[in-house]
Amino acid sequence: MRLPALYLLLLAPNLALAWSPNGVRLTGAPFAQVVPQITSDGAGGAFVSWADQRDYFNGTPIGRNDCYLQRVTVAGQIAPGWPLDGLPVATGPGDQGSGILIPDGSGGVLIVFGDTRLDFGDLYLQRITAAGTVAPGWPVTGVPIGVGPGEQAVPVLVTDGAGGAFVSWQDGLDLPDTRARYTHVLGSGEIAPGWPSNGRLFEPTSAFVLRPLMLATGNGGFLACWSVSEDALATARMLAQRFTSDGTADPAWPAGGLTVCEQRPNHRVPRERLVPDGAGGFYVIFADGRESGSMAQDLYAQHVAGNGTIAPGWPADALPVSALPGVTEQDASLCEDGRGGVYFAWEDYRAGAAGVFGQHLQADGQPHAGWPVMGKRLTGTPGFQLSPELAWDGWDGAYVTWNNLQTGGYRSYVQHLKPNGSPFPGWPVDGLPVVPIPTDQYVPTITADGLGGAIVAWEDTRNGETDVYAQRFVNDGVVAAQVSLAGVEATSDEVRVRWRVSGETRASVERREGEGDGGWRVIAQLEADGGGYLSLVDRDVVPGARYEYRLSFASGARGGETSVVVPALTLALEGARPNPARGALWVAFTLPDASPARLELYDLAGRQIATHDVGSRRAGHHVMRLADGGLAPGLYWAVLTHGARTLRTRVAVVR
């Protein structure tokens, strides 16, 4: 689905004033902070969690990690009230990782984390408010959701739409007996009534059930997909089911679940996440070893429709996304495209060294224009490109980030892709480094910012130890001028746009009409005022038309891109100007177009006093003299007729 059609549809402002070109350090704590996880904060910023080792040398056993969390705002600042070194989520005895997190729908965040406080590993859920406090009613140590013998791991969580979450996990990782469970935690921090303390089984009769993924349906329920095997993955099949708000299987779907992929040799589990198709269904991608006699893993995808069937055009046994003989494809990521299709990116060895490849499929399973079957390489930078992650840009493109092993160490990159797979204007063909300085960066992770941009977090070694940094990227990348959009106003007559800039005092304004890859032209030269603002007034506009604006600097950088739909004109009869009138009678009205129209004046007895043909006037707002100064004092009717519509209003004349 596209973003709502508003009169003022604002795409992301470029890098906000506080974002440093070298990234924002999310904690100044000593020792290592590793494996960041990220999600949107719903206000243009992000929550980032990590495994923190600041207590490594404070008398605790080597190997201990604590779970910490930070919130960075849309302006690139640590959110007010949040500790500069991060908020401790779980620091008790045992080992806690970085967790998995999602927005809670109220400006806060839900985070599920592993914890060895009791045994090999249990799972706990915590809810943190936007202000950086534990949500009311939630225990400070988290809600135990997967606590039992053995190890509970690989959690996935989705919102229930009411501040709580459904959580799935792997219960026991020792073959050949491993189960998949799920539970429901309310927004108040309690396990939902009727749910067992250790969750429900997805498959009560199967001994080997792996990696259930979930997707919120928006009505309090969720979709799920998992792998089932009776012989420890020598062969396996995949199932999907829709669950209602009480956690039971939807009776409208096949009993026992829909077969997503038939029993296959060397079949593997679904990867990363499920992605919505915008029509109640989802996409899933998985690695598959069905190629006879080969240990190489290929990538297959399936499109499950909202009615519990395989979507039209998709094979019952899944669609090969990248299945080349003897070539390994792995670490797949996916995201929606805003038009019912899906983007994929993965690590691919078809050229020998690892490269990042991608694909863009339409809802019917056909590649989008510009994308070859089996995908195409997204970057040609030297070295090995590893572990890509995708994020939808909120329109119809996608951001992709990856790690690049090259001479001198690891570097993290990001790219902004158009629907045809080419970079957006302002983006180099091989992507942008997350920072321009020579430092090692590892495990970049990405989230959409909800404003058309994306925020990337990564491990960084510039300070002699591993820290967590973040950076925000927008339509035209990171601009040296550091531009933020200060405001937009539009009437049917004009558009006003205001930008705040730092590091530049002059800029050209470029405009294009509608959408497309080109068509930009310079319409104005602006100079910043004393407060660092650039202001544009564009009166060369057509009511109902869409325009895009951006700044262009002498350095070649561009930024501050925004899109505006000019309000369409509607037929209106405002009345006398002034009202009451003295002497001559002037009447204000609006015409939506130049088709035939008539403006008349009647007294209260219904006698016509004056009439004028106004259809020859252009569309827009008008004030014209309807009668001279000879009118007797009293009340009259002004009548405007345009096509089949007639408007009337009373006007008063006084001496």
Side-chain angles (χ1 to χ4, degrees), residues 452-483:
I455 298 175
V456 178
W458 68 92
E459 296 177 8
D460 194 295
T461 63
R462 73 185 69 176
N463 301 309
E465 56 191 21
T466 304
D467 299 309
V468 175
Y469 278 75
Q471 182 62 284
R472 184 166 180 242
F473 296 87
V474 289
N475 295 325
D476 285 340
V478 180
V479 295
Q482 296 192 7
V483 182

Side-chain angles (χ1 to χ4, degrees), residues 382-535:
F384 294 78
Q385 291 84 50
L386 309 167
S387 305
E389 284 194 13
L390 282 165
W392 180 39
D393 69 1
W395 195 243
D396 54 12
Y399 293 92
V400 58
T401 187
W402 66 91
N403 220 199
N404 194 87
L405 174 59
Q406 57 194 48
T407 302
Y410 283 89
R411 302 288 186 268
S412 293
Y413 283 78
V414 64
Q415 179 64 280
H416 189 194
L417 298 173
K418 293 190 293 186
N420 64 5
S422 61
F424 268 81
W427 286 77
V429 66
D430 289 329
L432 287 168
V434 293
V435 291
I437 58 177
T439 175
D440 278 334
Q441 303 110 32
Y442 304 96
V443 292
T445 184
I446 191 168
T447 186
D449 65 8
L451 299 173
I455 298 175
V456 178
W458 68 92
E459 296 177 8
D460 194 295
T461 63
R462 73 185 69 176
N463 301 309
E465 56 191 21
T466 304
D467 299 309
V468 175
Y469 278 75
Q471 182 62 284
R472 184 166 180 242
F473 296 87
V474 289
N475 295 325
D476 285 340
V478 180
V479 295
Q482 296 192 7
V483 182
S484 61
L485 185 66
V488 178
E489 297 179 0
T491 68
S492 57
D493 296 320
E494 66 181 26
V495 172
R496 293 177 177 264
V497 188
R498 196 170 186 235
W499 294 271
R500 177 79 181 274
V501 296
S502 175
E504 293 276 2
T505 59
R506 293 182 176 87
S508 301
V509 179
E510 297 179 347
R511 189 187 84 171
R512 69 177 175 186
E513 299 183 22
E515 301 176 62
D517 297 336
W520 291 99
R521 64 182 181 90
V522 175
I523 62 168
Q525 303 289 336
L526 300 181
E527 186 166 350
D529 62 18
Y533 290 94
L534 297 171
S535 300

Side-chain angles (χ1 to χ4, degrees), residues 39-42 47 101-110 157-159 163-164 447:
T39 194
S40 170
D41 70 353
F47 293 102
L101 58 169
I102 62 170
D104 70 354
S106 300
V109 65
L110 291 154
L157 72 162
V158 296
T159 178
T447 186

Side-chain angles (χ1 to χ4, degrees), residues 572-590 599 621-627 638 649-653:
L573 178 59
E574 289 85 13
R577 294 292 186 270
N579 191 10
R582 296 178 181 273
L585 177 61
W586 294 80
V587 175
F589 59 97
T590 301
L599 185 63
H621 306 291
H622 305 281
V623 178
M624 69 169 294
R625 190 156 79 170
L626 187 55
T649 186
R650 287 200 304 181
V651 296
V653 176

